[in-house]
DNA sequence: CGCCGACTTGAATTCCTTCAAGTACGGTGG
DNA sequence: CCACCGTACTTGAAGGAATTCAAGTCGGCG
């Protein structure tokens, strides 16, 4: 692993789960020119309407993508964790149709678009892995449409938490049970299409059922099986990304 | 255009809007082996959990993709029109995470997966167009998450109708204003995460405002500008697919 | 210490669902 | 041709889930 950018290892590890890359593919990724940045929580990395000239990889911390209605209410459409490329689609669709935001302090790697395009042209395996990754993204969006459209508050929140835990575990960040959620109740509300008030009350009932526990103002999953049952969580839609 | 499969023209036309294909790309598409089928309304073309061995192109008519919760309530995640490939993702993700259904009588072209894979390997421009197409799909899913999560019934339905009209027009199927919607109120409900009862009432208010009109049991857009205003519809997210 | 943002709780309201009944229409068979 | 049937649509009334508004509490940080 390139000692200059040790954390690109997470990206490579993730892509290898999708398509075996071979040493030349791995090497090509490690040789990408990369500009490092530490972004504070809340920092906008891509703004809706932008035409990004660099591609944005999350190396450490958490991020989300969101869109807004004209009246200002916000909808988060996905969460991201270390190893995720945050704007792969801007390689092919220049103008951003949504914003990207760091939700914790985050280490970001910025890679010039031309370098990414060269990588895709030279390394068919890497291109294949990127395509699969973007198709898995799309599958997750479909599940979110179902989640927000057809589940009630309790299983909606449970499902969002299950997905987060499963992807986190798949990315090698620790077990599904017992970690601290890196987001506010308002963020949970924005991801599930609810108000923060109702999220608060619903979290309480999930705690009362024993599925969740709280540690100060932090939420943790205390009973993974119960939470999965409440969420009707079946991770087939993650397509082995988890 | 290949006289054997005149309607593949719609697919080619759509891909050309994304990436200029050149004559060899067009020819390669026209030479695809294809099995034709006329599917009646309601016919399931792909079932969640399947591992499809043929790729499914919509040549004529309309289709949708949907998922269900365990209790049986259904969420439509996208609508499709002639020229759309209905399961591009199964080239890269073998197992279907959702179902595909004809919503009107539909002409379907079935293409063996190996032939599609050969096409992608031999024709980089076509592969590029397919990738862009699947990224636009993903952008539309994101907009649906926002629509279902954050808009009220009235603008939610209006937005769904605007998107349908805009995509229909972009596909060369006629103007946004004044066509008959090829779907029941129940389908509108399944796409917007509502009940058919409330869809019915909300359609009435949209009619009262003059945005829609009805022709027997058919709905038509009578005032495109008003409908767009109600929906806060901005088609940037369609990325020139419209 | 005092402020600010996040969380918590209650009460009133609203939007949407549920349940139930009835209407209109197209297709089928007699 | 008409009677019948099923499906989609329509409408009302009651109930419930989630929002809104408002007033706190708690904890971290300058």
């Amino acid at each position: 692993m390139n000692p200059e950018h040790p954390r690109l290892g997470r990206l490579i590890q993730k892509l290898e789960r999708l398509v075996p890359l071979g040493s030349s593919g791995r090497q090509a990724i490690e040789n990408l020119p990369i500009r490092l940045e530490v972004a504070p929580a809340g920092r906008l990395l891509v703004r809706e309407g932008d035409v990004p000239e660099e591609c944005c990889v999350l190396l450490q911390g958490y991020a989300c993508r969101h869109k807004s209605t004209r009246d200002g209410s916000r909808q988060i459409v996905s969460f991201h964790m270390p190893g995720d490329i945050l704007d792969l689609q801007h390689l092919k669709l220049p103008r951003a149709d949504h914003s990207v935001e760091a939700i914790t302090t985050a280490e970001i790697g910025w890679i010039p678009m031309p370098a990414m395009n060269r990588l895709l042209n030279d390394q068919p395996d890497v291109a294949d892995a990127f395509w699969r990754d973007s198709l898995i993204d799309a599958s997750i969006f479909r599940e979110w449409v179902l989640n927000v459209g057809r589940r009630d508050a309790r299983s909606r929140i449970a499902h969002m938490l299950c997905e987060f835990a499963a992807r986190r575990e798949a990315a090698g960040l620790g077990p599904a049970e017992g970690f601290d959620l890196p987001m506010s109740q308002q963020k949970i509300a924005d991801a599930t299409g609810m108000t923060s008030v109702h999220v608060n009350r619903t979290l309480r009932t999930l705690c009362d059922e024993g599925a969740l526990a709280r540690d100060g103002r932090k939420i943790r999953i205390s009973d993974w099986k119960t939470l999965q049952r409440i969420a009707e969580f079946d991770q087939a839609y993650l397509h082995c990304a988890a």
Side-chain angles (χ1 to χ4, degrees), chain A residues 22-33:
Chain A
S23 64
S24 97
R26 279 193 300 275
Q27 198 58 55
I29 294 174
E30 283 169 8
N31 289 341
L32 283 168

Side-chain angles (χ1 to χ4, degrees), chain A residues 18-204:
Chain A
L18 303 174
V19 175
L21 294 182
S23 64
S24 97
R26 279 193 300 275
Q27 198 58 55
I29 294 174
E30 283 169 8
N31 289 341
L32 283 168
I34 187 168
R35 179 169 70 81
L36 290 177
E37 176 190 358
V38 175
R43 164 73 174 277
L44 267 191
L45 304 169
V46 178
R47 191 182 303 264
E48 186 172 343
D50 279 358
V51 178
E53 289 175 5
E54 291 175 303
C55 187
C56 170
V57 180
L58 182 57
L59 303 176
Q60 193 62 248
Y62 294 92
C64 70
R65 306 200 235 167
H66 58 77
K67 311 189 68 152
S68 299
T69 59
R70 204 156 302 164
D71 69 11
S73 71
R74 161 180 300 197
Q75 177 69 46
I76 291 176
V77 298
S78 64
F79 288 113
H80 293 281
M81 39 204 71
D84 287 354
I85 302 180
L86 298 178
D87 60 348
L88 198 45
Q89 67 274 9
H90 301 131
L91 284 170
K92 301 282 175 185
L93 304 174
R95 189 169 298 275
D97 54 69
H98 61 275
S99 301
V100 179
E101 180 183 330
I103 58 180
T104 64
T105 304
E107 270 183 57
I108 306 295
W110 294 98
I111 301 167
M113 288 291 181
M116 287 295 281
N117 276 313
R118 248 176 281 125
L119 176 68
L120 294 186
N121 288 329
D122 298 347
Q123 301 287 339
D125 287 348
V126 175
D128 199 44
F130 280 178
W131 192 348
R132 285 177 107 98
D133 186 51
S134 63
L135 288 171
I136 291 171
D137 257 24
S139 173
I140 294 174
F141 294 139
R142 286 190 288 271
E143 186 70 28
W144 279 47
V145 174
L146 172 65
N147 200 39
V148 171
R150 285 297 186 211
R151 282 195 257 260
D152 67 10
R154 182 165 149 273
S155 57
R156 199 187 298 186
I157 290 183
H159 196 281
M160 191 226 93
L161 296 177
C162 282
E163 179 188 301
F164 194 87
R167 288 177 55 200
R168 200 176 153 283
E169 184 169 29
L173 300 170
E177 202 156 7
F179 65 95
D180 283 336
L181 258 198
M183 68 190 78
S184 65
Q185 294 183 4
Q186 181 60 57
K187 288 261 184 305
I188 298 177
D190 287 343
T192 52
M194 303 167 56
T195 59
S196 62
V197 172
H198 197 48
V199 165
N200 183 283
R201 297 197 236 262
T202 307
L203 284 175
R204 163 172 299 282

